[in-house]
Amino acid sequence: MRKIVLFIAIITLTFITACNSAQENKDTDKKATEAGDAQETIVYESETGPIEVPANPERVVVLSSFIAGSVMASDVNIVGIDSWSNANPRYEPYLQDAEEVSEESLEQILELNPDLIIATPDSKNLDKLKEIAPTVTYTYGKVDYLTQYLEVGKLLNKEKQAKAWIADFKKRAQEAGEKIKAKIGENTTISVIELFDKQLYVYGDNWGRGTEILYQEMGLKMPEKVKEDALKDGYFALSPEVVPEYAGDYMVFSKNSEQDNSFQETETYKNIPAVKNGRVFEVDGKAFYFNDPITLDFQLEFFTEKFLGE
């Protein structure tokens, strides 16, 4: 009888121990799962407040052209892209599997199954976009161009990568600037002029087209008329006859080969000193519009080659 009681006691103890062990494993698995869930999202402090986004987004739709290159530079997969970015030849290698979309093509965006959407505050259908995936908006010019890339880095959980690139870029651009000033002179002026849709523009120091590199990082000078009229707003519309007043000793002339560029055949243009002296650097407007890392690296390489022959 005593042996039977002892046997039952052992069986009971074994059962209780097994149950406790199973419960502990279950609790451990639950904690691990909760920890895993916590790592799957981050809270990003956006312009409109905190928003929960994927920690490592895999399918991003970008409806903001000035942000697209920063996403590409962060090695994040883009499945939907705006038309302006899609037309940029520098972006082509990064958009092989991306579809062109707009804020109005909601059904198409839904089918792309994005886990993150990036737009602008004035994008249409923002509320509907937010129903498809977490949607973050950026306002152009709210922060400086390098801080903008850093913000995208924070959003995409690539802040360390963004900081490293920014430090390296500033170093490279400033070193090139010193060499250029040593070659062309400290007081030599450069202007950035663009012919877009039959309208001429001159640019300040923060509106893409290489202006951030030339003026902010390299410290090159802009003509006084450009400083007076374009520095505050970033750009200034010109009539053809006044272009010589805004032309620097060197000119970066941005244009689109598909548009009317007959201004370059006029006497007004041909008589500009920079034109006569062969100091005009023509650029493809589509490739030069923006100020993201991909475009900035291209612009820096272009200016280094044109000014220094390197």
Side-chain angles (χ1 to χ4, degrees):
M1 183 70 179
R2 290 177 60 188
K3 289 182 179 180
I4 294 174
V5 172
L6 180 60
F7 177 75
I8 292 173
I10 292 172
I11 292 297
T12 302
L13 180 61
T14 302
F15 177 74
I16 292 171
T17 302
C19 288
N20 288 339
S21 178
Q23 183 60 45
E24 288 175 1
N25 289 336
K26 184 177 180 181
D27 292 342
T28 300
D29 290 343
K30 182 179 179 182
K31 290 177 181 178
T33 300
E34 289 173 349
D37 289 343
Q39 292 173 356
E40 290 174 3
T41 62
I42 60 174
V43 175
Y44 174 66
E45 292 294 335
S46 73
E47 292 179 2
T48 56
I51 179 172
E52 189 173 5
V53 298
N56 297 291
E58 298 177 349
R59 300 181 62 81
V60 182
V61 167
V62 185
L63 301 173
S64 173
S65 58
F66 72 92
I67 294 297
S70 293
V71 178
M72 297 173 204
S74 301
D75 302 317
V76 174
N77 183 42
I78 295 177
V79 295
I81 193 69
D82 69 285
S83 60
W84 273 66
S85 299
N86 201 33
N88 187 333
R90 306 304 305 179
Y91 293 167
E92 187 176 350
Y94 304 88
L95 300 174
Q96 297 297 316
D97 300 318
E99 294 184 21
E100 186 175 310
V101 295
S102 73
E103 62 260 43
E104 296 181 333
S105 53
L106 295 173
E107 185 174 342
Q108 184 183 6
I109 293 174
L110 182 62
E111 290 176 354
L112 290 174
N113 191 30
D115 51 11
L116 178 66
I117 298 173
I118 302 176
T120 59
D122 58 354
S123 295
K124 298 177 182 178
N125 299 313
L126 274 180
D127 289 340
K128 293 179 180 178
L129 289 170
K130 291 175 183 177
E131 293 176 3
I132 297 174
T135 301
V136 175
T137 61
Y138 290 106
T139 303
Y140 184 79
K142 190 175 182 68
V143 295
D144 70 80
Y145 75 114
L146 293 178
T147 301
Q148 182 64 80
Y149 174 45
L150 182 60
E151 281 302 311
V152 174
K154 292 177 182 178
L155 169 66
L156 302 175
N157 206 13
K158 299 290 183 75
E159 183 178 2
K160 184 177 180 181
Q161 176 182 325
K163 285 183 175 179
W165 183 88
I166 289 170
D168 178 64
F169 166 74
K170 288 180 72 68
K171 180 175 182 292
R172 289 183 288 124
Q174 290 169 8
E175 287 176 351
E178 290 305 313
K179 291 180 181 179
I180 291 171
K181 283 185 286 187
K183 181 177 180 179
I184 68 175
E186 291 277 347
N187 296 316
T188 299
T189 59
I190 293 92
S191 56
V192 179
I193 293 175
E194 183 175 86
L195 180 56
F196 178 78
D197 197 20
K198 299 182 180 180
Q199 176 62 58
L200 287 156
Y201 298 91
V202 66
Y203 293 90
D205 67 353
N206 64 347
W207 211 261
R209 284 84 175 171
T211 57
E212 290 85 1
I213 294 178
L214 293 171
Y215 302 129
Q216 293 190 40
E217 301 307 329
M218 291 183 173
L220 302 180
K221 295 187 181 300
M222 62 177 66
E224 284 301 317
K225 285 287 289 183
V226 177
K227 191 182 297 184
E228 291 172 10
D229 295 332
L231 192 58
K232 181 180 178 181
D233 294 331
Y235 64 94
F236 185 71
L238 302 175
S239 57
E241 61 271 12
V242 302
V243 171
E245 299 175 29
Y246 294 84
D249 299 312
Y250 285 81
M251 275 200 334
V252 177
F253 193 83
S254 172
K255 65 179 186 178
N256 184 341
S257 60
E258 299 168 2
Q259 296 182 0
D260 181 7
N261 295 298
S262 57
F263 169 70
Q264 290 184 284
E265 303 303 320
T266 65
E267 290 302 312
T268 299
Y269 178 80
K270 291 179 180 180
N271 286 322
I272 294 173
V275 177
K276 286 184 173 182
N277 296 326
R279 293 178 174 178
V280 177
F281 304 146
E282 291 191 7
V283 300
D284 177 0
K286 291 181 180 179
F288 244 68
Y289 286 143
F290 307 120
N291 51 20
D292 57 84
I294 292 171
T295 306
L296 289 167
D297 275 336
F298 171 59
Q299 292 168 343
L300 179 56
E301 182 181 331
F302 178 88
F303 292 137
T304 301
E305 177 186 345
K306 292 298 182 180
F307 280 109
L308 302 175
E310 296 179 3

